[in-house]
Amino acid sequence: MAIYKTVKLTVVGLVLMVCFLINNTVESSAADRIEMAYIDPLSGTFGNAGDSSLKHYQYAASLINKAGGIGGKMVEIVPFDNKANPKDSLIQLQKAIDRGMRIIIQGLGSSVASALTGGIKKYNKRNPGKEVLFVNYAAVDPALTNKRCNFWHFRFDSHVDMKMAAITDWLKTQKDIKSVYILSQDYSFGKAVSAATVRMIKEKRPDIQIVGNEFHPIGKVKDFTPYVQKMMNAKADAIITGNWGSDMTLLIKAASQAGQKSPYLTLYGGGLGAPTAMGRSAVGLVKQVTEFHENLDASDEQKKKIDDFEKKYGTDYYWERIFTSMGMLSKAMEKAGTENIIGIAKALEGMEYETPYGKVYMRAEDHQLIQPQFISTYSDGVERDVENTGFGFKTDLRIPAEASALPTSCKMRRPS
Amino acid sequence: METIVFSLLNGIIYGLLLFMLSSGLTLIFSMMGILNFAHASFYMLGAYFAYSIGSVTGFWVALFLAPVLVGVAGAAVERFGLRRLHAEGHVAELLFTFGLAYIIEEIVKIVWGKIAVPYKVPAALDFPLFELFGSQYPAYRIFMLVVSLAMLFALWYLLKRTRIGLIIQAALTHPNMVAHLGHNVQRIFMLVFAAGCALAGLAGVIGGNYLVTEPSMAFTIGPIVFVVVVVGGMGSLEGAFIASLLIGIMQTFAISVDATFSDLFGWLGLSASSELGGISIPSLAPTLPYLLLVLMLMFRPRGLMGAREF
């Protein structure tokens, strides 16, 4: 009996020791690198969008690592699949925090960003000294840097109102367009697109008639033909849509099959499968407002970076702002130390940064990046094409960073 | 006018696609009493097989080969899975097909990846066939219509005009009698299961490039197929046909209507600015089949043409 007890104790002791050892090795290996959590859809309807942006982040990390890392530490992007679902995202957030990650990256879906920013705010309040930072590279519901802003959230893309301001400014010069049709995804982001469009058109072009203002379920529609048919019946001079990912691809596919000839003013018509679905019929018709497209003037160094990326991953270089976010983040981390989240956030506030396409800055008031925007058209005869279609985007209009800044209602509480 | 024509055309094509899926499901159900939860997964397999085969041999070979392969897979599932479980009763069979649906989805994710594959309409059919009211109509949709109608006719001929059809119909209602007459009822079951799966596979081949070929496609369309079968009446082919067209047309029409609840029920005093009155009919389109399902179960539980109640 006594022997049995000794054996039992020894086993328990050994198990504990092994646990301790494993735990220790994990800790020590985490100390010489920085793990950043990337929480976005990697499967399902929006999986291709997540796949593309993840590749950009991994490439950005590899460039930083090649240059010696951040404060000598290597950066690693750890992907978490949230299936574009807010509830799953909170579970993935907890997983990432449990694994010791302090930087959370997300962008695809304002509903997800809204859940994450709320979750992170709560977590940081309850766990002082272990704060996490939210890097939002694409969720553009204006509320995130207005009513729902907080100290831990930084947005590296222009929000819906800024993008719509650019589109409606362009509309001011287009006297031929007398009516528009708005098609949006039925969730917070789509509602924001629709509301901003209606409001700004009333301000800037009161003569334009809004002949349709439709919402469709996000990610559920596989055949947009009935919607396209409806737009054609409404005889709109232009279509405005905020659709992204497969909702954009399938919409434009249905439009080109039906031979629709109206211009499309889009936020995300320039990538992630949409150009492949457009083909020749969309030349001159599809426009986008973005911070980047491949035919912008740039240094040879930047062009080589784009080429290297496309060669390495076999997919289009689309998200310039991902490199901006990583560049600014690493600058802030160098300054404040890689573990000091409050310091990093404070360093980001008001930071100015030189991108290959002009100067940008992170507005301290609401943590909204102010950057130049470009309206461009899907055209023939361009230097660089998109998705091997032979067509690419040409700039119509450059909106300087300052001009695209809008006032904010954000009143955030800062840690003392 | 153009709204009606286009909605009808698109609705019928979608409806026929649904029928191709639900016909197999309802045949299997009426014959073996199995509600095959994995049925839509065979639809997905059809699309993926066609994508892989098509990238080697071209679309036309895949159009014939992919459904056959799906049928073989279906036969294997019946022979080595369901037949063994038959003695355990319906719950075991139901759970088996339920699990199978998940296994097939995971296998698809492993083999073809988690995101949509570029399964495209063949170049020979990728042109506008005719122009109607200033809008082009893609040839591929008419091709889908033709394939669906051909399948419909072949199925009808097989069941109603041939000896095999006679035996199948007899086995539906009097399996013991058919067995006593010297027919191998087990094999008939296997063939029907395989044929049902092959039909689902065919729907996948022509639907996969019309819609999107991705791992979630089975779970997107699966529930609607069940709605078709229940609304049409369990085990009734005619009922499934009517229900498919009904749901297809209803969904496309709902999108083209430009009305809100307040327009419909304004006479009841519902105002356009209220929460309920502001709901538009197009935004309800995806829920309409389920509304129909609930109403059907409430007022006519045996479905449109069904013989049995559930």
Side-chain angles (χ1 to χ4, degrees):
Chain A
M1 210 52 209
I3 294 176
Y4 176 67
K5 221 171 188 177
T6 329
V7 170
K8 205 166 140 190
L9 272 176
T10 324
V11 169
V12 170
L14 273 174
V15 167
L16 280 176
M17 250 163 79
V18 169
C19 287
F20 183 74
L21 275 177
I22 290 173
N23 211 4
N24 241 6
T25 47
V26 170
E27 293 258 301
S28 69
S29 67
D32 57 12
R33 61 197 164 105
I34 305 161
E35 290 185 322
M36 301 184 180
Y38 169 92
I39 305 180
D40 258 330
L42 295 167
S43 62
T45 309
F46 296 112
N48 60 343
D51 187 59
S52 160
S53 70
L54 175 62
K55 283 172 177 160
H56 284 68
Y57 263 109
Q58 284 171 335
Y59 186 61
S62 77
L63 291 182
I64 290 173
N65 291 342
K66 220 182 274 171
I70 302 176
K73 294 181 184 176
M74 294 295 121
V75 180
E76 193 189 334
I77 306 290
V78 184
F80 294 85
D81 182 8
N82 68 1
K83 306 182 182 85
N85 176 325
K87 209 170 65 196
D88 282 327
S89 308
L90 290 176
I91 297 169
Q92 300 300 341
L93 170 68
Q94 193 54 52
K95 253 198 213 162
I97 291 175
D98 289 347
R99 283 179 58 181
M101 293 169 210
R102 312 279 300 272
I103 306 286
I104 310 292
I105 299 163
Q106 186 270 341
L108 302 173
S110 288
S111 51
V112 170
S114 182
L116 281 182
T117 197
I120 287 171
K121 189 178 162 190
K122 236 182 271 170
Y123 176 86
N124 286 350
K125 201 170 168 189
R126 290 171 189 165
N127 299 275
K130 290 184 184 166
E131 291 87 354
V132 297
L133 190 81
F134 183 11
V135 175
N136 167 5
Y137 68 92
V140 291
D141 180 352
L144 293 167
T145 50
N146 281 290
K147 210 169 68 197
R148 286 178 55 73
C149 74
N150 68 59
F151 180 72
W152 315 104
H153 166 264
F154 290 87
R155 170 151 57 198
F156 290 87
D157 193 8
S158 311
H159 64 64
V160 168
D161 289 354
M162 297 159 80
K163 289 174 193 254
M164 273 307 150
I167 288 182
T168 42
D169 277 346
W170 177 82
L171 269 181
K172 268 203 285 200
T173 64
Q174 304 297 311
K175 295 294 174 205
D176 294 345
I177 295 177
K178 301 263 185 253
S179 60
V180 298
Y181 195 108
I182 311 165
L183 182 70
S184 325
Q185 292 153 313
D186 197 0
Y187 76 116
S188 55
F189 160 72
K191 300 265 181 211
V193 170
S194 161
T197 312
V198 171
R199 195 181 69 233
M200 291 178 186
I201 283 183
K202 210 174 268 171
E203 253 169 50
K204 296 177 189 172
R205 278 288 304 273
D207 60 310
I208 287 187
Q209 208 189 349
I210 294 167
V211 289
N213 191 358
E214 186 91 57
F215 295 93
H216 70 81
I218 170 175
K220 295 271 192 293
V221 181
K222 301 297 169 201
D223 179 14
F224 276 93
T225 310
Y227 291 97
V228 170
Q229 226 69 263
K230 204 172 167 184
M231 290 179 205
M232 291 172 80
N233 289 344
K235 307 229 177 335
D237 292 336
I239 315 294
I240 295 183
T241 179
N243 279 16
W244 56 276
S246 69
D247 279 341
M248 185 67 218
T249 314
L250 296 175
L251 170 63
I252 212 80
K253 179 175 153 191
S256 65
Q257 278 183 353
Q260 194 181 17
K261 290 275 175 282
S262 329
Y264 265 69
L265 312 178
T266 75
L267 304 189
Y268 305 105
L272 309 178
T276 308
M278 298 189 300
R280 175 168 284 282
S281 57
V283 166
L285 293 179
V286 175
K287 289 175 187 296
Q288 61 166 357
V289 52
T290 49
E291 88 287 4
F292 163 81
H293 64 83
E294 287 197 16
N295 290 309
L296 292 174
D297 275 339
S299 62
D300 290 340
E301 192 190 350
Q302 168 72 3
K303 283 183 179 160
K304 188 178 173 305
K305 185 173 111 187
I306 296 175
D307 287 338
D308 287 349
F309 175 84
E310 295 189 340
K311 209 156 83 196
K312 184 167 179 191
Y313 293 101
T315 183
D316 266 21
Y317 185 100
Y318 175 71
W319 315 79
E320 177 58 34
R321 56 185 182 272
I322 284 180
F323 297 91
T324 309
S325 73
M326 286 299 273
M328 292 177 79
L329 190 62
S330 68
K331 212 170 130 187
M333 286 176 121
E334 294 276 4
K335 192 176 158 197
T338 54
E339 298 288 310
N340 175 10
I341 294 295
I342 296 181
I344 294 168
K346 289 202 164 144
L348 276 173
E349 287 193 323
M351 179 189 280
E352 290 189 356
Y353 186 78
E354 201 64 55
T355 76
Y357 304 98
K359 202 183 218 174
V360 304
Y361 67 94
M362 179 58 72
R363 190 159 66 179
E365 246 180 306
D366 58 348
H367 297 184
Q368 169 67 52
L369 189 78
I370 309 295
Q371 60 184 347
Q373 299 187 90
F374 302 88
I375 291 183
S376 53
T377 308
Y378 188 63
S379 313
D380 208 349
V382 290
E383 189 191 339
R384 288 170 169 274
D385 66 348
V386 280
E387 296 175 4
N388 300 321
T389 52
F391 307 108
F393 282 86
K394 251 186 209 165
T395 309
D396 297 313
L397 188 66
R398 177 179 192 274
I399 298 110
E402 273 311 325
S404 77
L406 291 174
T408 174
S409 63
C410 172
K411 286 187 187 64
M412 67 174 73
R413 287 180 57 186
R414 291 180 169 73
S416 46
Chain B
M1 183 61 204
E2 47 252 67
T3 313
I4 294 172
V5 172
F6 276 117
S7 298
L8 263 183
L9 212 51
N10 290 327
I12 286 173
I13 289 169
Y14 183 57
L16 284 172
L17 191 71
L18 280 182
F19 176 66
M20 217 182 284
L21 267 164
S22 47
S23 57
L25 187 65
T26 203
L27 264 185
I28 291 167
F29 178 77
S30 50
M31 188 159 243
M32 309 161 78
I34 300 170
L35 202 48
N36 182 10
F37 266 102
H39 198 72
S41 306
F42 289 102
Y43 157 78
M44 172 161 75
L45 279 183
Y48 274 100
F49 283 173
Y51 164 69
S52 286
I53 297 170
S55 60
V56 181
T57 63
F59 176 76
W60 302 104
V61 178
L63 180 64
F64 291 97
L65 214 53
V68 172
L69 274 182
V70 176
V72 170
V77 165
E78 200 282 336
R79 177 67 188 81
F80 301 110
L82 286 170
R83 196 179 294 181
R84 283 159 194 245
L85 280 170
H86 199 61
E88 311 287 332
H90 285 333
V91 176
E93 290 169 333
L94 202 69
L95 289 176
F96 173 77
T97 58
F98 197 69
L100 188 67
Y102 281 95
I103 292 173
I104 291 178
E105 182 176 329
E106 288 309 315
I107 291 175
V108 163
K109 278 184 190 167
I110 292 168
V111 176
W112 285 280
K114 287 178 169 179
I115 54 182
V117 293
Y119 176 32
K120 289 213 178 68
V121 169
L125 288 170
D126 198 10
F127 61 92
L129 191 66
F130 54 85
E131 195 161 306
L132 206 61
F133 306 116
S135 164
Q136 294 166 355
Y137 209 79
Y140 190 72
R141 282 178 199 224
I142 299 301
F143 169 75
M144 286 175 72
L145 189 73
V146 172
V147 172
S148 308
L149 290 176
M151 185 279 311
L152 189 65
F153 178 75
L155 192 65
W156 172 83
Y157 188 81
L158 184 78
L159 285 177
K160 304 281 180 193
R161 289 285 182 274
T162 64
R163 207 179 131 70
I164 306 168
L166 208 64
I167 297 168
I168 290 175
Q169 284 196 54
L172 284 175
T173 47
H174 302 89
N176 290 333
M177 195 64 203
V178 175
H180 283 302
L181 286 171
H183 295 290
N184 187 345
V185 174
Q186 295 250 300
R187 204 174 67 199
I188 296 173
F189 278 5
M190 188 173 84
L191 284 178
V192 169
F193 197 89
C197 292
L199 280 181
L202 180 64
V205 176
I206 62 170
N209 47 7
Y210 162 70
L211 302 168
V212 185
T213 303
E214 58 182 356
S216 59
M217 64 192 284
F219 279 86
T220 326
I221 207 155
I224 297 183
V225 175
F226 279 102
V227 173
V228 169
V229 171
V230 173
V231 169
M234 293 276 200
S236 159
L237 267 181
E238 294 86 351
F241 181 67
I242 296 170
S244 307
L245 288 184
L246 188 69
I247 288 174
I249 293 171
M250 201 168 70
Q251 270 193 303
T252 40
F253 259 104
I255 292 171
S256 55
V257 177
D258 223 343
T260 60
F261 266 26
S262 64
D263 296 333
L264 285 185
F265 301 109
W267 51 277
L268 282 174
L270 196 62
S271 81
S273 55
S274 66
E275 191 88 351
L276 190 63
I279 298 175
S280 71
I281 304 296
S283 71
L284 285 180
T287 53
L288 281 179
Y290 305 103
L291 185 70
L292 190 67
L293 173 75
V294 172
L295 291 178
M296 190 55 88
L297 286 174
M298 275 166 74
F299 296 110
R300 196 181 159 90
R302 66 194 174 94
L304 288 174
M305 313 277 277
R308 283 175 279 181
E309 289 212 356
F310 288 88

